[in-house]
């Protein structure tokens, strides 16, 4: 058992994860002072407020929140930060650099890079991540001698960094609707959907043998309707195991929707629904350009929609209908995607700022709703334990402690820190009851900047 004494902390009331303005009178979480948290086997076993610290307690000064969950990551895209803006930095500049970076990955280099990226996530306040992984094979598409070399590299990196990992093994068969994979995409693909399903089953067994299920789990992903033909969707719907999460890039750009309508007579969401793939286990990433019918489909199925505001802004994808999706019944989650920034607080307020810019109205999401999206909403799309959106008994002991007196946060009300804090204000991060980072320095690995400096030397 370990124990933490928090100067103040967001603790659950009777409302748990109740939605603001629709809580049925339930008691919403509140910030309490003198909060003493005891943990057993990485989970919170007791919480007391107005308590005094006991000998041996780890003292956490600041405001303790649940650590964030990152619902969408491409770890190797971290190479792109600050490198895709040559000239006016159009899409083709970004695409060329992305394929170059993917071509330079090896299992050894990827483990080193991902360890650094995951360490940056931990120091920024994330305790779990869903890695949307599609760089499976050698450059020519041939499997490695160890067929799961890339996947195991990512899992080992996560274990080194102490972050919970959902490894989303991705089906990627075509370069576009009716188009073969390009040479740059050869290492992303499998022979066919049956080969992917077999590899996925083998990967699940390999991960289960080597890693604890609370720390590393396996899910499935479809890259997009551009990369997965309809006949393959039928097989996925029939044969994909029901006990794992399913993610997909959905309606990220208007051209994707147009191509899908021309080929299949319906939108990407409609195509998934045609085969029964729109459900509560589906996480639709981006969902930027949806029709009203699409919104009804995803909301009616209680699907999760993963917004990545900093990436969607960086790539000029547009502003997705987050509030409409939420009101229709979808869960909203947040991810960092290509890691233009790795900062849960920036993603939270960027979601709200996008809504304000698109609607001309303030207050589209409350600070409480933003925190739910960054914690429980995101972790529900994963294969590792669900994070609570406030400290509560039985939840995993994953915390991030914010400095309320920094240049950015001083004067902010604790429950409104989503509109002032950044990752630079994260003092401590605790994962499974272990102090994992302090003032941006990883407790096991040291400075993420140093790790990233060394890892990035191996890429052009």
């Amino acid at each position: 058992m370990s124990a933490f004494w928090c100067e103040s902390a967001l603790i659950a009331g009777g409302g748990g994860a109740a939605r603001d303005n629709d809580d049925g009178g339930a008691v919403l979480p509140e910030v309490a002072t003198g909060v003493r948290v005891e943990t057993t086997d990485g989970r919170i076993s007791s919480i007391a407020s107005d308590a005094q610290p006991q000998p041996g307690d780890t003292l956490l000064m600041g405001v303790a929140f649940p650590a964030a969950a990152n619902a969408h990551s491409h770890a190797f895209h971290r190479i792109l930060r600050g490198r895709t803006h040559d000239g006016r930095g159009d899409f083709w500049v970004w695409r060329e650099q992305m394929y170059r970076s993917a071509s330079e990955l090896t299992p050894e280099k990827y483990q080193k890079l991902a360890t650094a990226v995951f360490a940056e996530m931990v120091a920024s306040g994330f305790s779990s991540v869903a890695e949307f992984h599609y760089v499976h094979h050698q450059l020519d598409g041939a499997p490695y001698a160890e067929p799961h070399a890339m996947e195991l590299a990512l899992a080992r990196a996560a274990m080194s960094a102490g972050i919970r990992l959902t490894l989303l093994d991705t089906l990627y068969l075509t370069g576009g609707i009716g188009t073969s994979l390009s040479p740059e995409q050869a290492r992303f693909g499998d022979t066919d959907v049956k080969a992917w399903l077999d590899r996925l089953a083998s990967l699940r067994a390999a991960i289960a043998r080597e890693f604890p299920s609370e720390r590393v789990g396996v899910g499935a992903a479809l890259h997009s309707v551009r990369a997965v033909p309809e006949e393959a969707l039928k097989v996925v719907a029939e044969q994909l195991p029901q006990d794992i999460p399913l993610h997909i890039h959905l309606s990220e750009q208007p051209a994707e929707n147009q191509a899908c309508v021309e080929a299949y007579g319906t939108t990407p969401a409609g195509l998934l629904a045609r085969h029964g793939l729109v459900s509560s286990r589906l996480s639709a990433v981006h969902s930027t350009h949806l029709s009203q019918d699409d919104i009804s489909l995803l909301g009616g199925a209680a699907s999760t929609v993963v917004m990545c505001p900093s990436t969607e802004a960086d790539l000029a994808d547009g502003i997705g209908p987050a509030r409409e999706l939420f009101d229709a019944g979808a869960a909203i989650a947040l991810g960092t995607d290509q890691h233009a920034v790795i900062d849960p607080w920036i993603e939270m307020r960027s979601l709200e700022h996008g809504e304000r810019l698109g609607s001309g109205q303030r207050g589209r999401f409350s600070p409480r709703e933003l925190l739910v999206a960054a914690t429980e909403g995101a972790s529900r799309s994963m294969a590792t334990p669900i994070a609570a959106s406030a400290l509560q008994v039985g939840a995993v002991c994953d915390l991030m402690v914010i400095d309320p007196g920094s240049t950015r946060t001083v004067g902010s009300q604790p429950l409104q820190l989503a509109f002032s804090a950044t990752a630079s204000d994260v003092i401590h991060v605790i994962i499974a009851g272990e102090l994992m980072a302090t003032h941006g320095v990883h407790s096991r690995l040291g400075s993420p900047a140093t790790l990233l400096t060394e890892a990035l030397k191996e890429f052009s």
Side-chain angles (χ1 to χ4, degrees):
M1 185 186 78
S2 59
F4 301 91
W5 183 86
C6 308
E7 182 181 23
S8 60
L10 181 68
I11 62 174
R19 292 181 174 209
D20 288 7
N21 303 320
D22 188 24
D23 59 17
V27 179
L28 290 171
E30 62 180 3
V31 174
T33 58
V35 176
R36 189 168 185 272
V37 178
E38 292 185 341
T39 73
T40 303
D41 296 329
R43 290 181 176 263
I44 297 174
S45 53
S46 71
I47 298 176
S49 57
D50 297 321
Q52 295 298 314
Q54 302 297 314
D57 288 359
T58 299
L59 303 185
L60 303 176
M61 306 305 291
V63 186
F65 291 88
N70 188 344
H72 189 66
S73 163
H74 301 295
F76 83 90
H77 284 200
R78 174 60 180 82
I79 303 167
L80 307 180
R81 186 187 296 176
R83 298 185 177 189
T84 63
H85 308 280
D86 293 347
R88 298 178 66 184
D90 63 16
F91 171 76
W92 301 106
V93 172
W94 182 90
R95 184 178 186 269
E96 180 182 354
Q97 178 63 56
M98 187 273 286
Y99 281 131
R100 182 186 306 125
S101 298
S103 73
E104 294 174 347
L105 291 170
T106 65
E108 296 75 21
K109 290 167 67 173
Y110 207 0
Q111 183 169 337
K112 185 176 181 179
L113 173 66
T115 299
V117 174
F118 293 154
E120 182 182 1
M121 287 184 196
V122 169
S124 300
F126 289 105
S127 64
S128 60
V129 59
E131 179 64 26
F132 198 109
H133 167 65
Y134 53 84
V135 188
H136 303 301
H137 308 300
Q138 299 181 67
L139 275 176
D140 62 357
Y144 285 96
E146 161 50 74
H148 307 304
M150 284 296 213
E151 293 74 27
L152 292 170
L154 287 166
R156 290 165 185 157
M159 290 296 291
S160 295
I163 198 168
R164 302 176 192 276
L165 172 68
T166 297
L167 184 58
L168 297 167
D169 196 82
T170 302
L171 176 61
Y172 200 133
L173 297 177
T174 58
I177 296 175
T179 304
S180 299
L181 293 174
S182 68
E184 297 93 341
Q185 298 167 325
R187 69 186 316 188
F188 306 162
D190 290 287
T191 306
D192 54 30
V193 64
K194 177 65 164 57
W196 173 71
L197 285 165
D198 289 344
R199 190 172 57 74
L200 178 64
S202 175
L203 174 63
R204 294 184 74 188
I207 292 293
R209 284 193 301 269
E210 186 169 339
F211 304 99
S213 60
E214 284 226 339
R215 304 310 291 261
V216 181
V218 176
L222 313 175
H223 181 271
S224 59
V225 298
R226 293 178 289 107
V228 182
E230 183 171 17
E231 56 268 24
L233 291 177
K234 296 176 185 177
V235 178
V236 171
E238 294 168 356
Q239 298 186 27
L240 184 69
Q242 292 296 311
D243 62 339
I244 60 175
L246 176 64
H247 291 225
I248 185 172
H249 295 125
L250 190 80
S251 293
E252 185 174 1
Q253 296 176 340
E256 174 189 342
N257 290 351
Q258 182 180 349
C260 188
V261 170
E262 290 175 356
Y264 302 120
T266 187
T267 63
L271 183 62
L272 296 182
R274 182 182 292 172
H275 299 288
L277 290 170
V278 177
S279 69
S280 59
R281 78 155 167 171
L282 179 71
S283 291
V285 182
H286 302 305
S287 300
T288 310
H289 302 282
L290 300 178
S291 69
Q292 289 301 312
D293 285 345
D294 295 337
I295 292 170
S296 296
L297 278 172
L298 293 167
S303 299
T304 297
V305 175
V306 183
M307 300 293 194
C308 306
S310 64
T311 288
E312 287 146 11
D314 184 77
L315 296 180
D317 285 338
I319 299 169
R323 186 73 224 186
E324 288 183 77
L325 284 158
F326 184 84
D327 290 341
I332 302 299
L334 293 171
T336 62
D337 195 355
Q338 63 150 340
H339 315 310
V341 297
I342 293 179
D343 189 325
W345 299 94
I346 286 178
E347 299 296 346
M348 279 187 262
R349 65 174 163 274
S350 294
L351 178 69
E352 169 63 14
H353 287 170
E355 279 285 316
R356 292 181 183 186
L357 289 169
S359 68
Q361 300 175 340
R362 295 184 92 237
R364 299 285 286 176
F365 286 98
S366 70
R368 167 70 185 147
E369 289 169 331
L370 296 175
L371 187 62
V372 170
T375 55
E376 182 179 331
S379 66
R380 282 190 177 278
S381 70
M382 300 185 187
T384 48
I386 294 173
S389 53
L391 277 62
Q392 63 185 44
V393 172
V396 290
C397 187
D398 292 0
L399 314 176
M400 63 172 161
V401 183
I402 299 300
D403 179 1
S406 77
T407 302
R408 292 161 294 279
T409 62
V410 66
S412 300
Q413 296 181 20
L415 288 174
Q416 295 186 31
L417 283 167
F419 288 94
S420 59
T422 71
S424 296
D425 301 308
V426 175
I427 306 172
H428 302 293
V429 179
I430 290 91
I431 301 178
E434 179 182 350
L435 183 62
M436 202 63 69
T438 299
H439 290 292
V441 178
H442 197 281
S443 61
R444 299 177 186 171
L445 302 173
S447 166
T450 301
L451 297 171
L452 286 160
T453 297
E454 292 303 310
L456 290 170
K457 286 178 180 177
E458 302 188 31
F459 298 91
S460 60

